Amino acid sequence: MSTAPTALPSVFVVGEALIDIVVDGDSTAEHPGGSPMNVAFGLARLGVPTSFRTSLGRDERGNALRRHLDSAGVQLDSASVTDEPTSTAKARIQPDRSAQYDFDISWNPGSLSVPSGVAVVHTGSIATVLHPGADAVAELFTAAHDSVLLSFDPNARPSVTPDRDAAVLDVDRIAEVSHVVKLSDEDAAWLHPGATLDEVLDRYLGLGAGLVAITCGGEGCIAASPNARIAVAAPPVDVVDTIGAGDAFMSGLLFGILSNDLVDTVRSGGLAQEGLEAIVGTALVSAQITVSRAGANPPTPDELYGPSEA
């Protein structure tokens, strides 16, 4: 696809939003973060009508997150604003430019429902394993399984949920009703120690997913549907940091599904090789652009496709 599509279906994202406190050597900076928030922002920036249910405080950090979401056109559910402090994640940049995280977060969104007219619902990360909110997310996905495309990025956080067995149970109950599952190779190694990446792909396909993708950092990714399997190298890039890279891949993956009109195909398990390659190619370019600059800063349509002609 050479030009940005128009009139895309809408997406509802549910999950945490927080402030990344990034420590890089002697410098410290704050950026909007949280995997579901990054995905909502990335989709809206690409022109996808996107609504978001999260939990934000009535504090300056919460105000910063609201301004950030507004800048991309994300529609924030009014129930997202609470009297609790805005959550934070301290991200320490390592010598290889990866990030290690420590979290200060609570998650209790209460009852959740899919807004009318939505084609895709996405969740992931801490929102699906931190109780009591994880139960509400699981109930949302179970109730919505037959009506929309469900997308899930486990984004394992051992520092938040050190009990692997409990985390796997939480991940599985959402994966069992999800049509799209995306993991990193680090997520796969922690959730399923000793399994090969192909075995992890097979595991989630066996649970019923129509598309499973595993990112492998600078090596690219592997992905599969019930009908096709590919391995794709990452485009070359000078990495500034990897914050938000997986989330930009995720928003790019969903954008690839939407822009190629493959929602029903993925839901039905009928995705073929050509469609799989198109979706994954979009996701990898989205991640490539994001790692080339600081923080979780996903692409605009012009960056993803090139400037449109007047």
Side-chain angles (χ1 to χ4, degrees):
M1 186 182 301
S2 58
T3 59
T6 58
L8 292 166
S10 61
V11 177
F12 176 54
V13 180
V14 58
E16 72 270 14
L18 48 81
I19 292 292
D20 281 328
I21 304 170
V22 182
V23 181
D24 189 355
D26 295 330
S27 67
T28 300
E30 295 194 1
H31 302 281
S35 177
M37 195 281 299
N38 289 339
V39 173
F41 184 91
L43 286 167
R45 181 174 269 190
L46 288 170
V48 177
T50 304
S51 55
F52 183 39
R53 176 66 183 275
T54 188
S55 181
L56 302 176
R58 305 177 194 276
D59 49 25
E60 184 48 44
R61 284 173 169 158
N63 293 338
L65 287 168
R66 287 193 289 277
R67 290 192 296 269
H68 179 70
L69 291 165
D70 285 346
S71 73
V74 176
Q75 181 179 345
L76 181 66
D77 189 304
S78 60
S80 298
V81 182
T82 76
D83 292 326
E84 296 296 319
T86 299
S87 299
T88 62
K90 182 167 285 188
R92 299 182 185 276
I93 304 301
Q94 305 303 298
D96 65 357
R97 310 311 294 164
S98 66
Q100 291 185 349
Y101 292 89
D102 295 308
F103 294 90
D104 181 5
I105 183 171
S106 60
W107 173 240
N108 185 16
S111 179
L112 298 168
S113 60
V114 178
S116 62
V118 165
V120 178
V121 177
H122 172 78
T123 193
S125 194
I126 296 169
T128 62
V129 293
L130 187 63
H131 295 264
D135 296 324
V137 176
E139 290 169 6
L140 171 73
F141 264 52
T142 300
H145 174 70
D146 294 329
S147 59
V148 296
L149 179 77
L150 296 172
S151 167
F152 178 36
D153 177 4
N155 204 197
R157 299 296 192 188
S159 63
V160 176
T161 55
D163 185 337
R164 178 187 287 108
D165 291 341
V168 170
L169 289 174
D170 282 331
V171 167
D172 277 358
R173 66 174 174 167
I174 294 181
E176 286 169 352
V177 293
S178 294
H179 306 100
V180 177
V181 179
K182 173 261 171 189
L183 309 89
S184 70
D185 52 357
E186 292 180 349
D187 297 332
W190 189 76
L191 289 167
H192 309 295
T196 68
L197 295 184
D198 277 310
E199 288 171 341
V200 174
L201 287 178
D202 290 335
R203 184 183 190 281
Y204 288 100
L205 289 172
L207 291 178
L211 168 59
V212 184
I214 302 176
T215 58
C216 305
E219 299 302 312
C221 75
I222 61 173
S225 72
N227 310 301
R229 186 167 303 220
I230 59 174
V232 186
V237 62
D238 292 327
V239 176
V240 174
D241 68 47
T242 63
I243 294 173
D247 303 328
F249 182 96
M250 185 74 249
S251 58
L253 196 75
L254 292 177
F255 183 74
I257 293 170
L258 295 166
S259 61
N260 287 284
D261 195 22
L262 291 170
V263 170
D264 291 339
T265 302
V266 174
R267 282 192 67 212
S268 68
L271 186 64
Q273 181 91 8
E274 183 179 2
L276 184 61
E277 290 175 350
I279 293 167
V280 169
T282 300
L284 283 171
V285 173
S286 179
Q288 173 201 27
I289 293 168
T290 302
V291 301
S292 71
R293 52 205 187 193
N297 187 5
T300 64
D302 280 355
E303 289 172 324
L304 195 62
Y305 290 101
S308 58
E309 296 182 2

